[in-house]
């Protein structure tokens, strides 16, 4: 005679919560004994109990509860093991104003929910704690309708607090750097008090300002990296007049912190030069800023170009100034590539070329 698989086999395994679920007297709940449960609930419970990711179920109009060992670790003695088989509203009354509408959204057939780094305070181990969660609520089907809610979640409180601490450090660093830049600017103003030094002072303070803007952008990115478009737009902000003199285009690209700083300084020097002698010194000049990936010598390269057009004719300077040396040196060093300054009749062109591997950032 063929052997018959036990009807409650879906409750097998599952560690502590599997044992508690098997031992629970479900006949005293509105669900009735496990052998009468619908197939969708059985399958979901089996998945939950045997998963090592924190998972939770609310089932039926009364939101009867199930959860696994991984979720049990996020609970205090106030709710474990009493939450098993209990009604959801009574169990989580203290946070129902937060989770109640989210559960209703799923139960009424409106779809799933997704919440990232959300504060949901709970009482555990005798005190109310601020706890941050990343979680989703998804529907469990029952005869073409929604029979329950599957919760997949993670307590991200430690990560949240680490981010808060990092932001605090960054804000303090930003404050100190700005103070340092202000002191340097004041010292320069005292040093270059002679009227003949006014031009040199303006150049110096302009470079400090460019450094400060780049620093602010990196602070917002936690000093790791920054989107190239943001770096360029921030560097160009002081030179925009609303006349559409700049055109910026290129694929989404992330650059490292040192590269963001050096590119900001280079753009400041290029824009200042364009105002004095180049495309921005006349009414019709324009500047095209582009970047692209291309194959050079059988290796993928990143190519960044600053191209001026419509300005006065240019020619190579008789003496290489500090600004030009700054552009070529900082870009070459921080991008580990080559920099070409071409004084073409149509306008200045600055071209940075480096293997793509030099700008690729480490995965998070």
């Amino acid at each position: 005679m063929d052997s018959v698989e036990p009807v409650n086999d879906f409750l097998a395994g599952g560690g502590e919560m599997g044992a508690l679920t098997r031992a629970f007297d479900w006949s005293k709940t509105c669900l009735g004994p496990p052998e009468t449960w619908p197939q969708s609930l059985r399958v979901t419970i089996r998945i939950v109990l045997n998963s090592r990711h924190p998972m939770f179920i609310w089932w039926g109009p009364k939101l009867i509860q199930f959860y696994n060992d991984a979720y049990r670790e996020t609970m205090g003695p106030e709710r474990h093991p009493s939450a098993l088989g209990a009604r959801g509203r009574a169990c989580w009354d203290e946070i129902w104003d937060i989770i109640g509408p989210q559960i209703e959204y799923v139960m009424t057939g409106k779809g799933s929910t997704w919440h990232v780094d959300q504060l949901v305070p709970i009482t555990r181990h005798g005190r109310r704690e601020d706890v941050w969660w990343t979680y989703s609520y998804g529907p469990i089907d029952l005869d073409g309708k929604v029979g329950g809610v599957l919760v997949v979640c993670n307590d991200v409180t430690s990560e949240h607090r680490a981010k808060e601490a990092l932001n605090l450090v960054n804000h303090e660093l930003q404050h100190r750097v700005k103070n340092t830049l202000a002191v340097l600017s004041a010292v320069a103003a005292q040093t270059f008090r002679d009227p003949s030094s006014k031009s040199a002072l303006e150049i110096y303070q302009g470079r400090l300002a460019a450094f400060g803007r780049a620093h602010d952008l990196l602070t917002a990115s936690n000093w790791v990296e920054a989107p190239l478009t943001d770096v360029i737009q921030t560097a160009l902000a002081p030179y925009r007049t609303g006349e559409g003199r700049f055109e910026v285009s290129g694929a989404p690209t992330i650059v490292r912190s040192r590269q963001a700083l050096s590119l900001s300084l280079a753009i400041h020097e290029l824009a200042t030069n364009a105002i004095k002698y180049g495309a921005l010194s006349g009414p019709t000049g324009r500047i095209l800023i582009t970047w692209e990936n291309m194959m050079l010598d059988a290796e993928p390269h990143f190519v960044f170009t600053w191209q001026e057009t419509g300005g006065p004719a240019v020619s190579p300077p008789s003496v290489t100034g500090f600004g030009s040396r700054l552009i070529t040196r900082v870009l070459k060093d921080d991008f580990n590539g080559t920099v070409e300054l071409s004084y073409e009749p149509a306008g200045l062109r600055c071209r940075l070329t480096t293997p793509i591997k030099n700008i690729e950032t480490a995965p998070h």
Side-chain angles (χ1 to χ4, degrees), residues 10-131:
F10 68 94
L11 295 178
E16 176 193 357
M17 291 311 304
L20 289 175
T21 303
R22 290 189 296 273
F24 195 89
D25 186 1
W26 295 101
S27 63
K28 294 182 179 180
T29 73
C30 58
L31 288 183
E35 56 267 22
T36 67
W37 294 353
Q39 183 66 14
S40 59
L41 177 59
R42 296 186 189 190
V43 171
T44 308
I45 289 175
R46 182 161 182 79
I47 292 171
V48 167
L49 288 178
N50 290 280
S51 173
R52 299 183 66 178
H53 196 97
M55 301 174 79
F56 194 99
I57 295 172
W58 282 297
W59 182 260
K62 302 299 183 182
L63 302 178
I64 302 301
Q65 302 181 143
F66 302 85
Y67 55 98
N68 62 9
D69 282 357
Y71 189 89
R72 178 257 178 278
E73 294 176 4
T74 71
M75 307 170 76
E78 292 83 359
R79 289 189 174 86
H80 175 72
S82 61
L84 179 65
R87 298 184 178 189
R89 176 65 186 264
C91 181
W92 301 104
D93 184 64
E94 69 172 341
I95 57 171
W96 202 253
D97 60 322
I98 300 174
I99 67 172
Q102 298 168 0
I103 295 171
E104 183 180 6
Y105 183 91
V106 178
M107 290 295 291
T108 54
K110 296 179 180 178
S112 301
T113 69
W114 174 246
H115 314 272
V116 177
D117 201 18
Q118 176 164 333
L119 173 63
V120 184
I122 60 173
T123 299
R124 59 187 181 187
H125 305 292
R127 63 188 181 90
R128 189 171 173 84
E129 297 182 24
D130 284 345
V131 185

Side-chain angles (χ1 to χ4, degrees), residues 253-272:
T253 303
I254 301 296
V255 293
R256 301 167 184 171
S257 57
R258 284 182 60 87
Q259 293 169 342
L261 287 172
S262 62
L263 193 57
S264 296
L265 291 173
I267 289 175
H268 166 73
E269 295 296 329
L270 289 166
T272 300

Side-chain angles (χ1 to χ4, degrees), residues 107-179:
M107 290 295 291
T108 54
K110 296 179 180 178
S112 301
T113 69
W114 174 246
H115 314 272
V116 177
D117 201 18
Q118 176 164 333
L119 173 63
V120 184
I122 60 173
T123 299
R124 59 187 181 187
H125 305 292
R127 63 188 181 90
R128 189 171 173 84
E129 297 182 24
D130 284 345
V131 185
W132 282 264
W133 304 83
T134 290
Y135 61 97
S136 67
Y137 289 172
I140 305 173
D141 292 337
L142 177 64
D143 299 329
K145 299 181 180 179
V146 178
V149 178
L150 172 64
V151 182
V152 181
C153 62
N154 196 23
D155 180 343
V156 295
T157 304
S158 59
E159 293 89 338
H160 178 89
R161 296 196 185 283
K163 290 178 183 177
E164 283 188 331
L166 181 59
N167 287 336
L168 180 63
V169 171
N170 275 331
H171 288 150
E172 176 62 20
L173 177 61
Q174 183 180 32
H175 175 71
R176 295 191 180 193
V177 170
K178 284 192 170 184
N179 284 346

Side-chain angles (χ1 to χ4, degrees), residues 302-321:
F302 168 79
V303 180
F304 174 90
T305 304
W306 167 290
Q307 178 69 64
E308 300 183 23
T309 62
V314 297
S315 58
S318 57
V319 178
T320 303

